[in-house]
Amino acid sequence: MTVRNGSCGCGDLKYSVEGEPVNSVFCYCKECQIHTGSDKWFGVWYPKEKFKITSGNPSIYARKGMSGKDMNHLFCANCGVMVAAEVTAGNFYSVGVSTLDEFDGLAPAMAIYTASAPSWAVYPEGVPKFDTLPPGMGG
Ligand SMILES: [Zn+2]
Ligand SMILES: [Zn+2]
């Protein structure tokens, strides 16, 4: 069983994820742009029980997602880095790939919320793009 470890920028907050992600997504929604300072967030999705905080205590910022259900951002109060967001609408965590210690073999499988992307957004090659979410997902 693959276990990957990750941490925030200062190392106060550490986590692990088990197994392979169920999805890997470039999200171009406005919130992700704000939180990353970039055109997108690269999140790998893990079922809730596969994500564990192993050190430190995350601060939580809750907001309403597009679905109207809570998105709980887990971030480090010391350095401000968000390591993951709990998507309660789907019962999974979207883990920030940039916070994983190593991310060999992880690549985006789709681009979502591209309707909100800036005109200068950069898209991965060869993966489907969706204005919002793929049909049948979320909602
Ligand atoms: Zn930190
Ligand atoms: Zn987003």
Side-chain angles (χ1 to χ4, degrees), residues 26-29 33 39-40 108 110-131:
F26 275 11
C27 182
Y28 293 81
C29 80
Q33 293 171 40
D39 55 347
K40 61 187 166 292
M110 63 177 68
I112 63 173
Y113 289 110
T114 60
S116 313
S119 60
W120 42 264
V122 178
Y123 298 102
E125 271 179 40
V127 305
K129 286 158 67 177
F130 299 96
D131 282 353

Side-chain angles (χ1 to χ4, degrees), residues 8-13 76 78-80:
C8 65
C10 73
D12 276 4
L13 195 56
C76 172
N78 190 43
C79 70

Side-chain angles (χ1 to χ4, degrees), residues 27-132:
C27 182
Y28 293 81
C29 80
K30 179 65 176 163
E31 292 282 347
C32 286
Q33 293 171 40
I34 291 171
H35 284 280
T36 59
S38 181
D39 55 347
K40 61 187 166 292
W41 156 266
F42 184 12
V44 280
W45 296 1
Y46 283 89
K48 212 173 153 179
E49 68 276 9
K50 303 290 188 190
F51 174 89
K52 284 185 185 61
I53 296 291
T54 55
S55 174
N57 246 326
S59 294
I60 293 176
Y61 162 60
R63 68 177 175 91
K64 296 287 177 211
M66 301 283 185
S67 64
K69 298 213 173 110
D70 280 344
M71 299 264 300
N72 297 315
H73 293 210
L74 273 55
F75 67 97
C76 172
N78 190 43
C79 70
V81 168
M82 174 173 61
V83 297
E86 179 190 5
V87 183
T88 61
N91 213 31
F92 65 87
Y93 282 92
S94 177
V95 174
V97 168
S98 58
T99 65
L100 286 165
D101 293 347
E102 62 89 12
F103 32 73
D104 287 354
L106 296 175
M110 63 177 68
I112 63 173
Y113 289 110
T114 60
S116 313
S119 60
W120 42 264
V122 178
Y123 298 102
E125 271 179 40
V127 305
K129 286 158 67 177
F130 299 96
D131 282 353
T132 56

